[in-house]
Amino acid sequence: MIFHAPYEIPETANSASRLRPRIMREAFSRLGYEVFDLSGDVSRRRSLKKQLRQSLQRGVKYDFLYFENSTQPNLFADSLKKGIAPFLDHSIHQICKAHGIPVGVFYRDVYWRFRKDLQTSTTVWNRVTDLFQRLDWFIYRRNKVQLFLPSKAMGEYLDLTGFKPVAELPPGAEVVDSPVVDECNIFYVGGMGAHYRLHKVCEAVRGSDARMRLCVRNKDWEQVKVEYNLQDAENIEIVHAEKDQLDSQYEWAGIGLLALEPEKYRAFAAPFKLFEYLGRGKPVLASAGTYVAQLVARTGAGWVVPYDREAIGNLLNHLAENPSEIAQKAATAREVAKSQTWQSRAQAVADTLSHL
C-alpha cells in the first residue's frame, strides 16, 4: 500500500495531528502490508512521486493509497521555505486513479468552516487558507476519492455531493496495562482555554467527595487560572506532565474526564484523548450532546452527564460512595478498547478501499 502525507512525519510528536499519521503508518505495517511511504517535504514527495511512476511502469501492484491530510491546506501543510507545490499531492492521487489504485483521504477537521461559531477572527491569512481549503476540497471531489472522517456526523457540515459514502475513522486506542483504580479520582489531560472549558466540572468537584487532577500545559494554565480560582481547592491539583510522564498520572486516575462545555463542534469531534483513556482502561465521564457521549453511551464505557454543576456533583458523590461501579466501568472500558485499536482502524481502511 501507499501511505501518503503532505508533511514530514516526526518519530516523536506531541500533537495528535502529527502523532496519528505515524501510528497509522505503523498499523498498516503490522497488518502485513509493504508500505511505500510517500510523505515528507515537497522535494522528497516530488522524488517519491517519480519513484512511484517508475514502479508502476515496472508492473508493481499497490492495493490502495491512504492519505492523511493536514489541518492546514495541503499547500501549507509543511514549511513554505522548503517549497511550494499546491497540486503535487492531488497529482499523485490522479496517477493512482489512472492505474486503478483506490485512493482514500482522511479529512482531519473542519475548523475552517466554523470560524464564526468558534468566534475565530477572520484575518487576511484565514481568508487565504480558507480559499485553499476549498480548492483542496474541489479537487478531492474531482478525483473521486474515498473520504474517511473522524465521525460520520462531521459529514453534515461538508458538501458531500459527488463523493462516495463516507467512512468513519476516529482515532484508535493503544492498549496499555494500567491499574484499575476504584476511587473517584478524576483525570484530565489536554488543552484549557476558550474551546476547552471545564468551569462547571471544577465547581462540582470542589463541592464533592471526588479528587481531580488537570494535566495541562503551563502556558495554557497561566492564561486561564484567574477564571478558575482554584488556589483553595484542596481536592483539585494542577500538573504539567510531559507525554513520557503520563504513566504515573494514569496509575493515579480512576476516571478519564471529557465533560467539557458542549459546543457545536463537539457534536462530531472525536478527540484523541478519548481513546487514550479507553486504551488505559479508564472509564470516561462525558458531557451530553457530544460525540464522546454517544460512544460512551453506546459502549457503556463510562457515564454521560449534562454539563451542569449539580448534575456532575451528584454523580461524583454517587461514584465516591460506590467504588465498585467505577471498577465495573473500568472493565468495560478495557474490553471496548480491544475493538478500537489503531490496527483495527488500519484494517477498516483496507476493507473499505479493497471493495471500491
Side-chain angles (χ1 to χ4, degrees), residues 32 157 163 180 192 248:
Y157 300 90
F163 285 105
V180 175
M192 290 190 76
S248 62

mmCIF file with all atom_site columns, all heavy atoms in Angstrom, residues 32 157 163 180 192 248:
data_model
loop_
_atom_site.group_PDB
_atom_site.id
_atom_site.type_symbol
_atom_site.label_atom_id
_atom_site.label_alt_id
_atom_site.label_comp_id
_atom_site.label_asym_id
_atom_site.label_entity_id
_atom_site.label_seq_id
_atom_site.pdbx_PDB_ins_code
_atom_site.Cartn_x
_atom_site.Cartn_y
_atom_site.Cartn_z
_atom_site.occupancy
_atom_site.B_iso_or_equiv
_atom_site.pdbx_formal_charge
_atom_site.auth_seq_id
_atom_site.auth_comp_id
_atom_site.auth_asym_id
_atom_site.auth_atom_id
_atom_site.pdbx_PDB_model_num
ATOM 1  N N   . GLY A 1 32  ? 0.711   -6.371 7.888  1.00 0.00 ? 32  GLY A N   1
ATOM 2  C CA  . GLY A 1 32  ? 1.428   -7.165 6.910  1.00 0.00 ? 32  GLY A CA  1
ATOM 3  C C   . GLY A 1 32  ? 1.630   -6.488 5.576  1.00 0.00 ? 32  GLY A C   1
ATOM 4  O O   . GLY A 1 32  ? 2.181   -7.095 4.640  1.00 0.00 ? 32  GLY A O   1
ATOM 5  N N   . TYR A 1 157 ? -21.595 18.810 7.885  1.00 0.00 ? 157 TYR A N   1
ATOM 6  C CA  . TYR A 1 157 ? -21.090 20.178 7.743  1.00 0.00 ? 157 TYR A CA  1
ATOM 7  C C   . TYR A 1 157 ? -20.208 20.335 6.502  1.00 0.00 ? 157 TYR A C   1
ATOM 8  O O   . TYR A 1 157 ? -19.511 21.335 6.359  1.00 0.00 ? 157 TYR A O   1
ATOM 9  C CB  . TYR A 1 157 ? -20.329 20.577 9.007  1.00 0.00 ? 157 TYR A CB  1
ATOM 10 C CG  . TYR A 1 157 ? -21.200 20.521 10.233 1.00 0.00 ? 157 TYR A CG  1
ATOM 11 C CD1 . TYR A 1 157 ? -21.294 19.354 10.988 1.00 0.00 ? 157 TYR A CD1 1
ATOM 12 C CD2 . TYR A 1 157 ? -21.971 21.608 10.606 1.00 0.00 ? 157 TYR A CD2 1
ATOM 13 C CE1 . TYR A 1 157 ? -22.113 19.284 12.106 1.00 0.00 ? 157 TYR A CE1 1
ATOM 14 C CE2 . TYR A 1 157 ? -22.787 21.553 11.722 1.00 0.00 ? 157 TYR A CE2 1
ATOM 15 C CZ  . TYR A 1 157 ? -22.859 20.384 12.466 1.00 0.00 ? 157 TYR A CZ  1
ATOM 16 O OH  . TYR A 1 157 ? -23.679 20.316 13.554 1.00 0.00 ? 157 TYR A OH  1
ATOM 17 N N   . PHE A 1 163 ? -19.235 12.622 -3.792 1.00 0.00 ? 163 PHE A N   1
ATOM 18 C CA  . PHE A 1 163 ? -18.368 11.686 -3.090 1.00 0.00 ? 163 PHE A CA  1
ATOM 19 C C   . PHE A 1 163 ? -19.087 10.354 -2.868 1.00 0.00 ? 163 PHE A C   1
ATOM 20 O O   . PHE A 1 163 ? -20.310 10.291 -2.791 1.00 0.00 ? 163 PHE A O   1
ATOM 21 C CB  . PHE A 1 163 ? -17.960 12.249 -1.721 1.00 0.00 ? 163 PHE A CB  1
ATOM 22 C CG  . PHE A 1 163 ? -16.929 13.340 -1.784 1.00 0.00 ? 163 PHE A CG  1
ATOM 23 C CD1 . PHE A 1 163 ? -17.298 14.660 -1.589 1.00 0.00 ? 163 PHE A CD1 1
ATOM 24 C CD2 . PHE A 1 163 ? -15.598 13.056 -2.024 1.00 0.00 ? 163 PHE A CD2 1
ATOM 25 C CE1 . PHE A 1 163 ? -16.355 15.676 -1.636 1.00 0.00 ? 163 PHE A CE1 1
ATOM 26 C CE2 . PHE A 1 163 ? -14.647 14.053 -2.076 1.00 0.00 ? 163 PHE A CE2 1
ATOM 27 C CZ  . PHE A 1 163 ? -15.029 15.374 -1.879 1.00 0.00 ? 163 PHE A CZ  1
ATOM 28 N N   . VAL A 1 180 ? -6.336  -0.794 37.682 1.00 0.00 ? 180 VAL A N   1
ATOM 29 C CA  . VAL A 1 180 ? -7.711  -0.370 37.941 1.00 0.00 ? 180 VAL A CA  1
ATOM 30 C C   . VAL A 1 180 ? -7.728  0.403  39.259 1.00 0.00 ? 180 VAL A C   1
ATOM 31 O O   . VAL A 1 180 ? -7.252  -0.091 40.285 1.00 0.00 ? 180 VAL A O   1
ATOM 32 C CB  . VAL A 1 180 ? -8.661  -1.582 38.019 1.00 0.00 ? 180 VAL A CB  1
ATOM 33 C CG1 . VAL A 1 180 ? -10.066 -1.128 38.418 1.00 0.00 ? 180 VAL A CG1 1
ATOM 34 C CG2 . VAL A 1 180 ? -8.690  -2.317 36.693 1.00 0.00 ? 180 VAL A CG2 1
ATOM 35 N N   . MET A 1 192 ? -6.666  23.760 27.763 1.00 0.00 ? 192 MET A N   1
ATOM 36 C CA  . MET A 1 192 ? -7.634  24.570 28.508 1.00 0.00 ? 192 MET A CA  1
ATOM 37 C C   . MET A 1 192 ? -7.639  25.944 27.874 1.00 0.00 ? 192 MET A C   1
ATOM 38 O O   . MET A 1 192 ? -6.597  26.498 27.543 1.00 0.00 ? 192 MET A O   1
ATOM 39 C CB  . MET A 1 192 ? -7.271  24.661 29.990 1.00 0.00 ? 192 MET A CB  1
ATOM 40 C CG  . MET A 1 192 ? -7.467  23.359 30.738 1.00 0.00 ? 192 MET A CG  1
ATOM 41 S SD  . MET A 1 192 ? -7.322  23.551 32.538 1.00 0.00 ? 192 MET A SD  1
ATOM 42 C CE  . MET A 1 192 ? -8.901  24.308 32.940 1.00 0.00 ? 192 MET A CE  1
ATOM 43 N N   . SER A 1 248 ? 2.552   7.593  35.346 1.00 0.00 ? 248 SER A N   1
ATOM 44 C CA  . SER A 1 248 ? 2.288   7.735  36.786 1.00 0.00 ? 248 SER A CA  1
ATOM 45 C C   . SER A 1 248 ? 0.973   8.461  37.036 1.00 0.00 ? 248 SER A C   1
ATOM 46 O O   . SER A 1 248 ? 0.286   8.198  38.032 1.00 0.00 ? 248 SER A O   1
ATOM 47 C CB  . SER A 1 248 ? 3.448   8.478  37.465 1.00 0.00 ? 248 SER A CB  1
ATOM 48 O OG  . SER A 1 248 ? 3.589   9.795  36.926 1.00 0.00 ? 248 SER A OG  1
#
